[in-house]
């Protein structure tokens, strides 16, 4: 069992910044991919950024490249998402997720554990 808890969501104006934090607990030793997803009302959940804790490899959806940065601290069992130059289209509930599969997975179906989500709202 793995438990994931997100924090750091909030409301910001266009061009602002927010930093999200995911804290993992439980049986975390075999997790090979940590990732952030987001879901806006009426839309499917989509991959935002992913990280391999063992290799440090990262991946991002095209629309956030250069604006968002994912990073992890294995000693603290945390993964962060630094978000800058936020846009209204970034508005969504952001979820932390963990997978037992490697190579920085992107598909929601490959992730075994999910946090409850944290709301990010970007206004014009």
């Amino acid at each position: 069992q793995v438990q994931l808890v997100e924090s750091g969501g909030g409301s910001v104006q266009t061009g602002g910044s927010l930093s999200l934090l995911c804290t993992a607990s439980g049986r975390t030793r075999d997790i090979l991919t940590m990732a952030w997803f987001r879901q806006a009302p009426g839309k499917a959940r989509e991959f935002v950024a992913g990280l391999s804790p063992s290799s440090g490899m990262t991946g991002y959806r095209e629309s956030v490249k250069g604006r968002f940065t994912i990073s992890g601290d294995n000693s603290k069992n945390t993964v962060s998402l630094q978000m800058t130059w936020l846009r209204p289209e970034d508005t969504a509930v952001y979820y932390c997720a963990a997978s037992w599969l490697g190579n920085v997975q992107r598909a929601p179906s490959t992730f075994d554990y999910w946090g409850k989500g944290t709301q990010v709202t970007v206004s014009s």
Side-chain angles (χ1 to χ4, degrees), residues 37-58:
F37 290 79
R38 66 188 181 189
Q39 188 167 23
K43 296 185 177 181
R45 190 167 298 187
E46 63 182 20
F47 174 85
V48 178
L51 167 72
S52 169
S54 59
S55 71
M57 291 190 300
T58 60

Side-chain angles (χ1 to χ4, degrees), residues 57-103:
M57 291 190 300
T58 60
Y60 300 88
R61 73 179 297 106
E62 189 67 26
S63 64
V64 308
K65 288 181 178 178
R67 300 190 299 123
F68 293 8
T69 301
I70 187 171
S71 61
D73 187 333
N74 292 344
S75 67
K76 297 180 179 180
N77 288 323
T78 60
V79 177
S80 297
L81 185 67
Q82 313 292 328
M83 304 184 294
T84 63
W85 295 101
L86 284 161
R87 309 163 179 168
E89 53 263 42
D90 295 318
T91 295
V93 176
Y94 283 69
Y95 298 90
C96 180
S99 174
W100 290 5
L101 300 178
N103 299 315

Side-chain angles (χ1 to χ4, degrees), residues 17 24 29 32-33 46-47 68 74 104 122-123:
S17 301
R29 178 171 294 188
L32 296 183
T33 302
E46 63 182 20
F47 174 85
F68 293 8
N74 292 344
V104 190
V122 185
S123 61

